[in-house]
Amino acid sequence: MKTQGVCPLLPEDDTPRNDAARMIRKWGPFSAIMAAIALVGVLVLVNEPSDTEQVASPGAGGESAGAGEDGEPGIGAPDPVGQMPLTYAEAEEEGTVDDYDWGDNCDTERGTIKLPSVYAAPCVPVWEGDNGGDTSTGVTGDSIRVVWYDASESGGLDSLLGDAGLKDTSEQQYATIQDWSELYASVSETYGREVELVRYAATGAFDDAVAAQADAELISQDIQPFAVLGGPPSDGGAFADELARNGIICIGCALGMPECKMRENAPYSWGNSPAVSHFIDGLTAWATPSEGHTGLVGNAEYAGDPALQAQERKFGVIHFEQDPPVMTVCPGPSAWGEDWLVETYLLDFATMPQVGTELVAKMKTAGVTSIFFGGDPLMPIYLTNAAESLDYHPEWIFTGTVLTDTNSFARLYNQDQMRQAFGVSQTGVPVNSDNGGALALYRWYFGADAFPDARAGYAVLNANIPRLYRGIQLAGPDLTPETFELAMFRIPPLGGDPVFPQQSHGRWGYFPEVDYNGTDDLAEIWWDADAEGLDETDKPGKGMWRYARGGARFTPDNPPEPAPFVEEDTVTRFEELPEESRGGTYPPPAGSPAASS
């Protein structure tokens, strides 16, 4: 794998330690980078194309193979075009498997590459030939230039965590992202090209739209990559928009961007978390009544106050917002009920305690029995403590946003209040890191005792790289943003088991329009304040999220009936990966550190 030097680095951060940093520091060894990233942040068939043949971009209003009557692509994988390879599953369906050489890297039972992960890409035939040389910006016959956007010194909580000594350094993160790229390159077909990683350091705060647009313009003009990994999460989409205008793909740089805006940017903007409105679709399908589904109707039976328990539910919503807004949805009817009390707050650490008290007081005065929370993992500290001080015990309905569904954070909330906390989780059931997940995958390639340089954030840094390599493999030798788009649409939904959320792009029947985001599903959770066990960083403690139905996940079309505080068939953590969460079992690739040791 080739690497390049660092584009503009920021000067040393001399921000003095403040109260927020001291508070974060005393929490102990929680995986700080997870919070920082989440906040500042969470086939060889077919005809050869002629010189004038163009690949239509379905998201941009073009037509593709299998397009439906609404002009959108049809449900399922669109047909390959140009030099895009056929997958093993497609060849099997056609009865043409024996016509191709699938090589030693294809697990023909699963139809996926030999990567021990449920997110392994579909197999494609062994490739030989001319890749066409320069097929797109950042793509030559030998390389694919990709920028990793380094937001580690971009202000906000990330800086506070660094000041408190609780996060990975920029160098540690960069080394780990290079490691992940090396791992995926070893099992992916890249058609004679190597991914060339370039680190670019953010020049402004995570919510500075002007700096974000300037960064995107500099990247576009001076570095000219094929793709960018990551970006400023609270810039209102300025970074992603500018890259799209310059014809550059960005993966994981559009946190909070409405899916209609992402479709306007097609085929350039890609997310790895649910679109806001798609997430709300799942949440409201679970919570509200529909044909054959009761939802949360009737009295607030899970509130902590008998007086509230006797009242019919009145809902309130508290969610994070920024200026410019990020928690927005596409035009259409409001996701919230007309009589719901909806309150927002800005991510301002200095004012959080006061704002939290004010928000809770409004909810209590309005007679709200049940509060949906959709924001950062710090605000519930102030909200739940304020509610306790006001002797107010509503139902707390958590929505799993930015790691509020982790035990590490939920243990920081007022535990008397958390006895009436339940909701949904966007993440999977925690698992012993030695026996599954990102660390096990890392050690499969680098060795049994290996540990990433980014010891706190290695799992988060593994979010965008596999998407990049899956898209490159399925796009074929003629790599362009348009073929990358169709490649992503051609990959069937992956995951969806208790540990690993389902990921898909395109149209697979879960949402009405083309989906440029990632996660499709949710799990139901409730807080058991008396349960004891290890959190996500293997730290023992009291209080655990329980995942209902063994951690089974659901999409908006099949919501389960809410069943909080029923302990039967719940799980808090897996010591071993359940069968449905396991990929194949394979030896490490030849030439890998693990194979050489």
Side-chain angles (χ1 to χ4, degrees):
M1 179 190 65
K2 299 178 181 178
T3 61
Q4 280 192 352
V6 182
C7 288
L9 290 174
L10 293 180
E12 198 71 29
D13 184 4
D14 59 357
T15 304
R17 287 192 166 114
N18 55 25
D19 291 341
R22 287 193 292 272
M23 181 186 306
I24 293 168
R25 186 167 60 252
K26 76 177 184 180
W27 291 345
F30 174 70
S31 177
I33 189 64
M34 292 171 63
I37 295 290
L39 278 173
V40 298
V42 1
L43 343 188
V44 199
L45 189 62
V46 213
N47 296 326
E48 294 284 330
S50 67
D51 292 341
T52 59
E53 182 178 352
Q54 299 292 322
V55 179
S57 171
E63 295 183 359
S64 69
E69 294 180 358
D70 57 2
E72 301 277 11
I75 303 299
D79 294 334
V81 300
Q83 300 180 72
M84 297 179 75
L86 199 69
T87 68
Y88 188 90
E90 291 168 337
E92 194 170 39
E93 184 176 351
E94 290 183 358
T96 59
V97 166
D98 294 338
D99 294 345
Y100 304 97
D101 177 8
W102 300 97
D104 296 331
N105 190 40
C106 180
D107 181 338
T108 55
E109 291 186 8
R110 293 175 176 267
T112 58
I113 60 174
K114 291 183 178 179
L115 181 75
S117 168
V118 297
Y119 298 131
C123 292
V124 298
V126 173
W127 175 83
E128 294 180 354
D130 183 354
N131 62 21
D134 300 355
T135 60
S136 182
T137 299
V139 180
T140 70
D142 301 319
S143 68
I144 304 167
R145 189 177 304 120
V146 175
V147 165
W148 173 59
Y149 184 87
D150 179 3
S152 63
E153 304 296 337
S154 62
L157 179 62
D158 198 74
S159 291
L160 296 178
L161 291 167
D163 188 53
L166 294 177
K167 85 171 197 58
D168 302 316
T169 67
S170 176
E171 290 72 21
Q172 290 168 334
Q173 293 180 53
Y174 186 43
T176 300
I177 204 79
Q178 290 176 306
D179 284 349
W180 284 126
S181 184
E182 179 182 333
L183 184 155
Y184 288 103
S186 72
V187 293
S188 301
E189 178 59 77
T190 57
Y191 305 96
R193 302 181 176 105
E194 294 184 15
V195 170
E196 176 185 312
L197 282 175
V198 181
R199 186 175 84 189
Y200 180 90
T203 64
F206 66 87
D207 57 353
D208 187 338
V210 174
Q213 183 174 2
D215 282 346
E217 178 64 20
L218 191 151
I219 290 171
S220 301
Q221 300 305 318
D222 290 5
I223 306 177
Q224 299 183 358
F226 173 72
V228 176
L229 304 178
S234 299
D235 66 339
F239 186 79
D241 286 348
E242 187 63 30
L243 289 177
R245 279 192 289 271
N246 283 276
I248 294 172
I249 286 173
C250 195
I251 304 173
C253 69
L255 180 65
M257 180 183 288
E259 75 277 10
C260 53
K261 180 62 176 174
M262 297 183 75
R263 290 197 299 275
E264 290 178 10
N265 283 351
Y268 304 108
S269 297
W270 299 87
N272 52 34
S273 57
V276 174
S277 60
H278 290 173
F279 159 66
I280 292 176
D281 284 347
L283 174 65
T284 54
W286 167 79
T288 58
S290 60
E291 184 177 356
H293 180 74
T294 303
L296 293 175
V297 299
N299 293 350
E301 58 183 303
Y302 309 119
D305 182 344
L308 291 180
Q309 293 171 3
Q311 296 179 31
E312 185 176 354
R313 284 189 176 94
K314 180 174 181 179
F315 293 106
V317 178
I318 297 175
H319 72 76
F320 160 75
E321 188 52 276
Q322 275 291 77
D323 185 16
V326 296
M327 291 291 287
T328 54
V329 296
C330 298
S334 171
W336 316 119
E338 293 182 1
D339 59 344
W340 292 21
L341 177 60
V342 180
E343 296 288 342
T344 65
Y345 68 94
L346 298 178
L347 189 62
D348 183 342
F349 305 122
T351 63
M352 271 186 172
Q354 176 185 344
V355 171
T357 299
E358 293 171 353
L359 292 173
V360 169
K362 287 182 180 180
M363 294 287 161
K364 181 177 182 179
T365 300
V368 169
T369 67
S370 313
I371 300 174
F372 283 89
F373 178 76
D376 73 275
L378 304 184
M379 180 55 95
I381 298 172
Y382 308 115
L383 295 175
T384 55
N385 284 334
E388 190 67 17
S389 68
L390 293 173
D391 193 25
Y392 174 46
H393 300 272
E395 296 176 327
W396 289 98
I397 306 172
F398 281 80
T399 63
T401 52
V402 283
L403 305 182
T404 52
D405 52 357
T406 61
N407 300 315
S408 302
F409 272 117
R411 288 175 179 175
L412 304 175
Y413 309 154
N414 186 286
Q415 293 302 291
D416 286 336
Q417 293 287 319
M418 290 298 288
R419 289 185 180 276
Q420 52 257 18
F422 62 102
V424 297
S425 172
Q426 298 183 27
T427 58
V429 178
V431 63
N432 184 322
S433 59
D434 289 332
N435 297 327
L439 182 59
L441 179 62
Y442 187 90
R443 288 176 169 170
W444 168 76
Y445 182 84
F446 287 100
D449 298 324
F451 215 109
D453 284 9
R455 290 189 167 235
Y458 63 87
V460 177
L461 293 169
N462 187 36
N464 296 322
I465 281 280
R467 296 172 192 272
L468 172 71
Y469 276 95
R470 287 198 295 263
I472 291 172
Q473 174 161 304
L474 271 290
D478 184 21
L479 180 61
T480 67
E482 290 77 17
T483 58
F484 184 90
E485 176 188 50
L486 280 179
M488 297 292 276
F489 291 173
R490 286 174 48 70
I491 301 171
L494 305 173
D497 56 81
V499 175
F500 300 107
Q502 179 175 292
Q503 296 180 0
S504 71
H505 297 286
R507 289 188 85 187
W508 294 94
Y510 305 109
F511 309 106
E513 304 91 3
V514 176
D515 182 13
Y516 286 87
N517 281 277
T519 303
D520 301 325
D521 54 6
L522 300 167
E524 183 180 352
I525 56 174
W526 56 272
W527 184 251
D528 185 342
D530 298 317
E532 297 183 3
L534 302 178
D535 68 9
E536 293 75 15
T537 63
D538 295 335
K539 179 182 177 181
K542 191 174 183 180
M544 303 279 284
W545 284 113
R546 286 193 176 275
Y547 287 71
R549 304 168 191 85
R553 303 183 68 80
F554 66 91
T555 49
D557 58 326
N558 67 338
E561 290 292 352
F565 309 108
V566 177
E567 187 169 339
E568 183 181 1
D569 197 27
T570 62
V571 61
T572 58
R573 169 184 163 104
F574 291 120
E575 290 306 314
E576 300 282 347
L577 277 177
E579 188 64 33
E580 63 267 43
S581 301
R582 298 177 184 175
T585 302
Y586 315 110
S592 67
S596 304
S597 60

